[in-house]
Amino acid sequence: MAKQKNIINQPHKEIFLYTPASKLPDALNIWFCFPALYSIGMSSLGYLHIFRLMDENPKANCQRVFTDTADFSDPKGLDLIGFSSSFEFDFLNIFKMLEEFKIPLSAKDREENCPLIFGGGIALSANPKPISDIFDFILIGDGEEVINKITDKLYEIRTLSRKEKLIELAKIEGIYVPGINNCADVKKQTCRITNAVYTPIITADTLFDNMFVVEVTRGCPFQCNFCLASHLNQPVRYASYESIIEAINIGLEKTDKIGLLGALVPANPCFKEVCEYLYKLRDTKKFQISISSLRVDSIDDLTVKTLVKCGQKSATIAIEAGSQRMRDLINKNLKEEEIFNAIDIIYKNGLKAVKIYAIIGFPEETQDDTEALITLMKNIKQRFKTLKLTLALNTFIPKRHTPFENTLPENKKTLEKKLNLIKKEMHKLGIALRPSSINWDWFQYVISCADERGSEFLKKTYSYGSNLGSFKKAYRDIYD
């Protein structure tokens, strides 16, 4: 693992928007890990929010650790090591970090004095099976509901044996302890977000360079049949107008970049009022606004005018499929005229570029559906000739907890044929194509829907080198 400067002892320039608690002399020693680079981890609002909650607890002496954090190989004296995992491929970096820590990958092989290892995040909440033997315990659902219950309980029972601690932790709602309780019986934790969650630490050394993020919505009311985020994060919750504005004003005291986050930001009933506030505020204060998600049928003049006034040059919309038949099948509930109306609003209000998200390989998809996507993109290009268009194309990945969880991905050869056709036609039209990798998407499916065999599959993949060839070899070993 390439080592950079020690992030713990020689920190990046960071602006804290909260005050860490004064720690008790016997506070628990905790490493809270993000299985990626510092620049990526410090862009994760969920990770930073959970860290903040622990850092505000006087019983928790918590440090952030990333894959490029130097001098973290000795966990001696630690009580707890946690991992936040948003994506299935994070699991391999978790293995790598545990190896750096000189901690056995399997929980059953750890000695009595080894710190307890826990995991959380949407990837683990969706399907803990392929990595459940790695963790001593797993948080199911929203971590903010339970993280300080864990800290307080461990502080209280720190003199107990490792096994006794896990028995006590299993009694906390939302905690899955493999071998002690049944994952199916663990109640997923759901946190109200009436008060908006926002970036607690700002730094320039991230993917988004001093971006201050405010969570506006959690979950999505439309629940497309393929979407894990909308199905797992139910019920839909909205931050209040007052808390969103308060958070924005806090952020603008430290930076000029504000991001509004959510599976569907405009679904918040107060979104229009937030746009009105930002539009007026921009007359007296210079700042940029970006929005993580726009649903086509939620785009209106006010939204686009606000984005343009606040410095945004492009918009991203998701149509998912080119044909009406396919959009109906996946529960997208989006008409073609709505797509053109949204782009017309974008175009006439001054945005210069549009990125369009679509997916190929849905269940029951035919060649006609693929050609319908090509025709739709062609018609958009012809109607909006000066608009810079990008088609971001993914392949369908079945996910647990969705109506499509028991379906299979389309045959790779068929997907490649469809992708090659779309590449050819987009090149003719002068539309940029940004496709995902069919092979990597396949292995994401294998992990996301795996049973307990997934653990051995991941360990073999890691032992073979964690590249695409390693995945293929490990798959043959375990599943063929």
Side-chain angles (χ1 to χ4, degrees):
M1 179 183 296
K3 298 288 185 72
Q4 297 183 2
K5 288 186 177 179
N6 186 327
I7 290 170
I8 292 177
N9 296 326
Q10 300 177 29
H12 292 255
K13 184 178 180 181
E14 298 177 338
I15 301 172
F16 279 65
L17 302 183
Y18 71 97
T19 303
S22 297
K23 307 303 179 183
L24 296 173
D26 59 348
L28 297 173
N29 291 312
I30 302 170
W31 283 353
F32 190 41
C33 306
F34 193 90
L37 300 173
Y38 174 91
S39 61
I40 299 173
M42 291 299 292
S43 302
S44 170
L45 179 59
Y47 169 75
L48 291 178
H49 180 53
I50 299 301
F51 172 78
R52 171 183 178 166
L53 294 176
M54 286 192 283
D55 204 23
E56 290 178 325
N57 188 335
K59 299 173 184 176
N61 180 25
C62 188
Q63 296 188 80
R64 287 165 284 141
V65 179
F66 308 90
T67 55
D68 54 353
T69 304
D71 300 338
F72 61 82
S73 58
D74 184 5
K76 185 178 180 180
L78 288 179
D79 298 285
L80 188 64
I81 298 176
F83 290 89
S84 176
S85 178
S86 300
F87 305 103
E88 288 83 1
F89 292 127
D90 289 343
F91 297 161
L92 297 176
N93 274 339
I94 292 175
F95 293 172
K96 191 172 186 178
M97 295 180 82
L98 287 172
E99 191 172 70
E100 286 278 341
F101 302 159
K102 298 179 177 60
I103 291 175
L105 294 189
S106 296
K108 63 180 177 59
D109 296 329
R110 293 171 195 150
E111 297 180 352
E112 180 64 31
N113 63 351
C114 183
L116 294 178
I117 311 297
F118 78 92
I122 190 168
L124 280 166
S125 292
N127 183 19
K129 289 183 179 180
I131 200 169
S132 60
D133 69 325
I134 305 301
F135 293 109
D136 294 302
F137 64 95
I138 296 171
L139 284 59
I140 304 296
D142 294 335
E144 61 258 63
E145 281 295 289
V146 72
I147 191 63
N148 277 322
K149 294 178 183 177
I150 294 168
T151 304
D152 292 345
K153 175 57 69 174
L154 284 177
Y155 181 83
E156 174 190 332
I157 62 173
R158 64 190 310 163
T159 59
L160 297 184
S161 70
R162 183 184 185 84
K163 182 64 177 290
E164 289 170 330
K165 289 175 184 176
L166 292 173
I167 291 172
E168 291 299 312
L169 289 172
K171 298 175 183 178
I172 299 175
E173 195 171 78
I175 299 298
Y176 167 44
V177 182
I180 293 180
N181 59 0
N182 189 325
C183 182
D185 298 327
V186 176
K187 183 179 179 181
K188 176 176 70 74
Q189 296 301 285
T190 302
C191 179
R192 297 181 63 192
I193 62 161
T194 304
N195 294 319
V197 174
Y198 59 82
T199 300
I201 306 170
I202 297 175
T203 176
D205 299 325
T206 71
L207 295 177
F208 306 114
D209 186 18
N210 283 318
M211 176 75 75
F212 177 85
V213 178
V214 182
E215 185 182 28
V216 176
T217 69
R218 191 174 297 183
C220 176
F222 291 98
Q223 294 187 280
C224 296
N225 289 339
F226 61 89
C227 181
L228 172 64
S230 62
H231 283 275
L232 192 62
N233 283 334
Q234 290 297 315
V236 184
R237 287 143 287 162
Y238 306 113
S240 69
Y241 172 79
E242 293 77 14
S243 71
I244 294 170
I245 300 306
E246 180 183 5
I248 288 171
N249 290 331
I250 289 171
L252 288 175
E253 291 178 1
K254 304 296 183 182
T255 184
D256 61 356
K257 294 181 180 180
I258 304 294
L260 303 182
L261 177 68
L264 184 59
V265 170
N268 190 309
C270 71
F271 178 70
K272 181 179 179 180
E273 287 74 19
V274 172
C275 285
E276 290 172 345
Y277 176 84
L278 293 169
Y279 191 85
K280 292 177 182 177
L281 183 63
R282 191 62 174 76
D283 290 333
T284 58
K285 193 175 184 68
K286 187 175 181 180
F287 58 90
Q288 299 176 25
I289 286 287
S290 66
I291 296 177
S292 65
S293 56
L294 289 173
R295 183 175 164 95
V296 168
D297 52 6
S298 71
I299 293 174
D300 57 19
D301 288 309
L302 175 61
T303 301
V304 179
K305 285 179 179 178
T306 301
L307 292 175
V308 171
K309 191 174 184 179
C310 295
Q312 191 155 324
K313 300 276 192 286
S314 64
T316 299
I317 61 174
I319 64 169
E320 316 304 357
S323 71
Q324 190 63 55
R325 183 190 77 88
M326 188 53 58
R327 288 195 295 271
D328 291 343
L329 187 146
I330 64 176
N331 198 36
K332 186 66 179 176
N333 297 323
L334 183 65
K335 306 298 183 185
E336 187 165 304
E337 54 266 33
E338 292 175 312
I339 297 171
F340 280 97
N341 180 62
I343 298 176
D344 185 59
I345 293 171
I346 290 169
Y347 184 73
K348 73 182 183 181
N349 283 294
L351 287 177
K352 305 299 183 184
V354 174
K355 179 186 285 186
I356 297 174
Y357 277 113
I359 298 173
I360 58 172
F362 281 122
E364 301 182 32
E365 185 177 274
T366 67
Q367 184 68 20
D368 288 344
D369 297 308
T370 305
E371 291 174 357
L373 175 61
I374 293 170
T375 300
L376 178 59
M377 294 302 298
K378 180 179 180 180
N379 290 340
I380 293 171
K381 181 67 175 179
Q382 288 178 340
R383 187 179 298 190
F384 305 99
K385 291 182 173 61
T386 62
L387 197 63
K388 181 181 178 182
L389 292 175
T390 300
L391 176 61
L393 194 65
N394 293 334
T395 60
F396 166 64
I397 303 171
K399 296 284 186 177
R400 290 190 182 273
H401 307 283
T402 71
F404 286 163
E405 67 177 345
N406 293 320
T407 60
L408 294 173
E410 189 169 1
N411 178 277
K412 285 189 279 186
K413 288 185 178 180
T414 308
L415 284 172
E416 286 169 356
K417 184 178 179 181
K418 290 180 179 180
L419 178 57
N420 288 334
L421 175 62
I422 294 171
K423 280 181 179 178
K424 177 182 175 182
E425 296 302 319
M426 292 305 104
H427 180 72
K428 289 181 184 177
L429 294 168
I431 296 173
L433 180 65
R434 301 288 181 267
S436 63
S437 164
I438 292 172
N439 283 312
W440 283 110
D441 287 351
W442 164 263
F443 286 113
Q444 186 182 344
Y445 153 72
V446 172
I447 302 169
S448 64
C449 292
D451 55 19
E452 287 77 4
R453 289 181 298 170
S455 175
E456 191 62 27
F457 166 66
L458 285 166
K459 288 175 184 175
K460 279 185 174 289
T461 299
Y462 177 67
S463 70
Y464 292 153
S466 300
N467 54 30
L468 186 57
S470 305
F471 273 96
K472 292 178 179 179
K473 185 178 180 182
Y475 187 85
R476 290 193 296 268
D477 290 348
I478 301 300
Y479 296 104
D480 284 352

